[in-house]
Amino acid sequence: PTGAVTVGVRAEHLHVHAAAPTALAHLRATVRRIEILSDQRLVHLALADSAAELVSAAPARGSVEPGSEVVVELDRPLWFDAAGQRIAA
């Protein structure tokens, strides 16, 4: 939205998909590692063309392994302005 400079999203709202050439509208990332915690799998990602790292707690869709390129879909992102105030989408 207009005025947004930061986006926030919960780990369970980051959906990881095996990379597909038609998925141009979403973010691209590389899987750094997969952390298995009891009944959860955390997928650690390096965002393409950025120093940002993401962690997804949602189950990956498709086969993802460390080093594989994936597409990241943001579900219910939160937007913030330059002062850190939340703004409506």
Side-chain angles (χ1 to χ4, degrees), residues 7-15 42 54-58 72-78 80 86:
V7 62
V9 64
R10 294 181 177 271
E12 62 269 21
H13 295 157
L14 285 174
H15 300 287
L42 300 180
L54 309 172
V55 177
S56 174
V72 180
E73 175 187 1
L74 304 180
D75 182 21
R76 294 183 263 173
L78 305 173
F80 301 90
R86 187 170 170 193

Side-chain angles (χ1 to χ4, degrees), residues 8-58:
V9 64
R10 294 181 177 271
E12 62 269 21
H13 295 157
L14 285 174
H15 300 287
V16 177
H17 304 269
T22 58
L24 299 175
H26 299 294
L27 302 171
R28 292 200 164 281
T30 301
V31 176
R32 291 284 188 218
R33 64 187 172 102
I34 298 173
E35 185 176 2
I36 299 172
L37 302 172
S38 184
D39 63 338
Q40 274 191 324
R41 283 180 48 172
L42 300 180
V43 180
H44 295 257
L45 305 158
L47 195 56
D49 301 322
S50 171
E53 294 203 13
L54 309 172
V55 177
S56 174

